[in-house]
Amino acid sequence: MRTRFLTELLEAAKQNPDLVLITGDLGFGVIEPFVEAVPTQFINAGVAEQNMTGLAAGIALSGGKVFTYSIANFPTLRCLEQIRNDVVYHGADVVVVAVGGGLAYGALGMSHHATEDLAIMRAIPGLAVAAPGDPVETSAVLADLLESGGPAYLRLGKAGERTVHTAPLAVRRGEAVQLRAGRDACLVSTGAMLPVADDAAVLLEEQGLSVSLLSFPWISPLDETALLDAAAEHELVVTIEEHTISGGLGGAAAEVMAETRGAAPLLRVGLPHRFSSVVGDQEYLRSLYGLTAEAITTRTIKALEENRGLARQVY
Amino acid sequence: MARRIRAHVLRMTSSGKSSHVGSGLSVADILAVLYGEVLRLDPNDPNLQDRDRFIMSKGHAGASVYAALAERGFFARERLAEHYQNGSIFSGHVSHVDVPGVELSTGSLGHGLPVGAGMAWRAHAAGATWRSFVLLSDGECDEGSTWEAVLFAAHHRLSNLVAIVDYNQLQSLDTTQATLALEPFADKWRAFGWDVVEVDGHDHRSLAEAADVPALSEGLPRCVIAHTVKGKGVSFMENAVLWHYRSPSSDELARALAEVQG
């Protein structure tokens, strides 16, 4: 995702001299082609995220189109008020980009676990929030951000994620993408959990269930229609995110579905609402917290059984 | 214009029962010089591409900015009576929404200089002829984000950026020196690579000369340390922490107006 983003951002920068990339002293080994190709459109703000974000607002309010770039929580939480007051309140064309959403930097420790970002950014009115699920969705989201602009937050994984979509996508801002259609349960994924959700759908179908899969590359605006349709047409909706279960996609789905009569029950798969002092690589931490295809499959089947009651065993 | 700004600020903070009258009086001369002489603006075209940008980073002195904008003709003076009222868009801290002439909404300290530096960087990059001015309080030089921008502006030699510090040496609870010592203040800015000029912040000629930098030069960013008196112009408000928060009663307003209108 990171590679796709930077490659396509550079192509856009070559076409648009107003496009500026500001990094908070991060991107070693990946950002160099941008710097070499369009040096006058690049700023390394140093380890100073508040200033980076204020600068971005100032440049954008003077006609620029700005992307700020850092990893994990640094471009978001460290400078949250600059995002809220300077960027979003002024409608500045700034896209805040965080690489390493979720547990991508799992071994680096709690400081580098970006696990509340979606909830916090989603709470800011007027800030679009995107978390694409694979490189194809990254392209689709970036195309929209380049065309329609910020204020926006873009949460990316790292590099080397599996590509789930088999063909290029066109997705409007705030639109969910359907990958599978079924009847029993609807899996709803955001961000880099998409390959895991896709694997879980395969496992569930192997168990004889009919499963839908929706990807939400946009958390805000939220595709409420897609969620409510899912809640009307399935016995269970399962949200899947590498994020605390509080306030992210699961939280957003709960808000929408709780106000809808007859909506299907909701199962939120995510991280528990506590910090992880335990470290490890992304795969290890995902399995520790049940963010694997196998764990999602087990919980989905259990929830369906509970919903149906003893009279109707799933299998 | 400074006298009129002071009178507006007194009326606005009195009728709105709002705080920060002392801050507004402290910056009245600076704003009068900027809006009266230095800033290249067109009240009939607030979004003019090549206008100078001015950011009131000490947003709590919002009443004085609204007063200066009204005096410069951005909107009718009568609208100043809306300040701080229920349903008003003229908030206690500066807000840009539907208020022509306001470049940046502020109120949380330490935001103005980074944004002003971004505007200056953009003008530099585009070879544009406009300049970026930021008025800071001394108290907000406690904020780390201010110093991040100080580093940045010097590194990029943003000579079209002017930071004016309203150095009245009083912040919310006490003096700046007793709170979080800033001295040696000018030396700090110089050590960070700025061109520092210290002036009497109530002397219009010195202020104008210090602030009116050329748009395109090879120089350094300019810091104008404006030595001011909080509550300036009203004898019983001068140098008193009390008037950071207190608003004048009708009797106090009458006495204060008599002094500033002299």
Side-chain angles (χ1 to χ4, degrees):
Chain A
M1 278 194 242
R2 182 181 63 188
T3 314
R4 178 72 65 99
F5 165 73
L6 283 167
T7 305
E8 294 183 359
L9 188 71
L10 173 55
E11 289 313 305
K14 288 176 181 167
Q15 306 296 318
N16 181 359
D18 291 328
L19 194 157
V20 177
L21 172 65
I22 314 181
T23 176
D25 203 30
L26 284 164
F28 180 77
V30 293
I31 216 160
E32 291 80 359
F34 191 101
V35 183
E36 283 162 23
V38 284
T40 60
Q41 293 168 248
F42 172 78
I43 299 172
N44 183 351
V47 192
E49 294 80 8
Q50 294 181 81
N51 186 52
M52 169 173 80
T53 309
L55 287 174
I59 294 169
L61 292 175
S62 317
K65 179 175 192 64
V66 189
F67 287 74
T68 61
Y69 179 95
S70 187
I71 69 167
N73 299 306
F74 308 143
T76 52
L77 304 195
R78 182 57 178 257
C79 45
L80 183 58
E81 198 181 64
Q82 277 77 13
I83 293 172
R84 178 184 183 269
N85 295 9
D86 304 341
V87 173
V88 184
Y89 187 52
H90 294 84
D93 188 357
V94 174
V95 179
V96 174
V97 182
V99 168
L103 299 168
Y105 293 110
L108 294 184
M110 173 271 181
S111 60
H112 285 59
H113 298 167
T115 47
E116 307 85 44
D117 57 328
L118 296 177
I120 292 166
M121 303 311 270
R122 190 172 76 81
I124 299 177
L127 180 66
V129 177
D134 76 348
V136 172
E137 288 189 9
T138 302
S139 295
V141 165
L142 181 57
D144 175 275
L145 292 171
L146 289 167
E147 166 125 6
S148 304
Y153 169 52
L154 173 59
R155 178 206 237 215
L156 297 174
K158 275 170 74 182
E161 294 92 349
R162 195 178 97 209
T163 301
V164 178
H165 292 283
T166 51
L169 275 177
V171 183
R172 287 195 305 274
R173 183 172 295 199
E175 196 174 56
V177 186
Q178 180 150 22
L179 290 96
R180 289 168 185 271
R183 294 180 313 278
D184 297 321
C186 182
L187 305 186
V188 179
S189 165
T190 193
M193 286 300 289
L194 182 59
V196 177
D198 186 52
D199 290 344
V202 171
L203 290 179
L204 285 162
E205 290 189 346
E206 285 172 8
Q207 301 277 2
L209 289 163
S210 170
V211 176
S212 296
L213 175 62
L214 293 177
S215 180
F216 272 60
W218 297 95
I219 296 285
S220 181
L222 184 74
D223 193 340
E224 296 187 6
T225 305
L227 267 176
L228 290 177
D229 286 349
E233 293 162 7
H234 300 81
E235 292 176 47
L236 178 71
V237 173
V238 183
T239 56
I240 302 168
E241 60 197 313
E242 196 168 318
H243 183 272
T244 170
I245 56 164
S246 305
L249 177 64
E255 290 166 13
V256 172
M257 291 166 64
E259 290 184 340
T260 305
R261 185 183 296 271
L266 172 67
L267 172 64
R268 292 172 299 150
V269 175
L271 298 167
H273 197 57
R274 61 172 187 268
F275 294 121
S276 182
S277 305
V278 177
V279 302
D281 63 26
Q282 189 171 26
E283 197 178 345
Y284 173 82
L285 289 178
R286 281 180 174 180
S287 61
L288 185 66
Y289 292 111
L291 298 181
T292 61
E294 294 74 16
I296 293 166
T297 301
T298 304
R299 289 187 67 188
T300 300
I301 290 171
K302 184 161 175 284
L304 278 170
E305 284 179 347
E306 286 170 357
N307 295 344
R308 289 174 180 180
L310 292 175
R312 282 182 66 202
Q313 295 288 321
V314 172
Y315 65 96
Chain B
M1 189 191 282
R3 269 201 292 273
R4 289 195 297 274
I5 291 174
R6 286 197 166 89
H8 287 311
V9 166
L10 286 164
R11 286 195 201 93
M12 290 161 76
T13 53
S14 178
S15 69
K17 295 190 170 42
S18 62
S19 296
H20 306 120
V21 60
S23 310
L25 297 175
S26 184
V27 297
D29 294 297
I30 298 168
L31 290 173
V33 167
L34 288 175
Y35 280 96
E37 302 178 43
V38 176
L39 296 175
R40 297 172 199 140
L41 300 166
D42 181 358
N44 298 313
D45 186 3
N47 298 318
L48 186 72
Q49 177 89 22
D50 284 333
R51 71 192 183 278
D52 285 334
R53 269 66 167 178
F54 171 73
I55 292 173
M56 182 57 139
S57 193
K58 47 176 297 181
H60 53 282
S64 61
V65 175
Y66 299 140
L69 288 169
E71 284 297 329
R72 183 66 194 265
F74 281 86
F75 46 84
R77 294 186 181 92
E78 291 70 37
R79 296 208 61 192
L80 296 175
E82 299 169 23
H83 176 251
Y84 228 80
Q85 304 300 316
N86 291 338
S88 171
I89 54 168
F90 293 96
S91 48
H93 295 81
V94 183
S95 179
H96 72 287
V97 176
D98 296 332
V99 182
V102 173
E103 298 285 351
L104 192 77
S105 297
T106 52
S108 175
L109 296 175
H111 284 246
L113 198 57
V115 178
M119 291 173 168
W121 184 89
R122 170 76 181 169
H124 250 245
T129 56
W130 47 269
R131 303 162 298 171
S132 175
F133 296 82
V134 182
L135 178 50
L136 300 108
S137 72
D138 43 21
E140 73 176 313
C141 293
D142 295 352
E143 294 277 10
S145 53
T146 296
W147 295 101
E148 291 180 7
V150 170
L151 283 170
F152 179 88
H155 182 87
H156 291 271
R157 297 182 75 92
L158 300 178
S159 59
N160 55 350
L161 175 65
V162 181
I164 304 167
V165 183
D166 173 28
Y167 196 30
N168 57 41
Q169 304 195 34
L170 282 182
Q171 52 193 95
S172 177
L173 299 180
D174 206 330
T175 64
T176 51
Q177 207 59 12
T179 305
L180 197 57
L182 294 172
E183 289 293 340
F185 194 41
D187 289 347
K188 287 191 171 73
W189 288 85
R190 285 195 188 97
F192 276 71
W194 285 56
D195 173 21
V196 181
V197 181
E198 295 195 69
V199 299
D200 174 347
H202 304 298
D203 182 85
H204 290 205
R205 179 179 296 271
S206 315
L207 280 168
E209 284 173 3
D212 205 359
V213 302
L216 302 168
S217 80
E218 296 297 308
L220 302 169
R222 168 69 55 88
C223 171
V224 179
I225 297 180
H227 290 271
T228 53
V229 173
K230 195 157 185 165
K232 175 73 176 181
V234 178
S235 56
F236 59 92
M237 293 182 181
E238 288 187 359
N239 282 317
V241 167
L242 173 70
W243 293 97
H244 189 79
Y245 289 117
R246 180 162 169 176
S247 64
S249 66
S250 57
D251 173 54
E252 288 161 343
L253 173 64
R255 281 163 45 213
L257 282 174
E259 287 195 34
V260 301
Q261 292 173 328

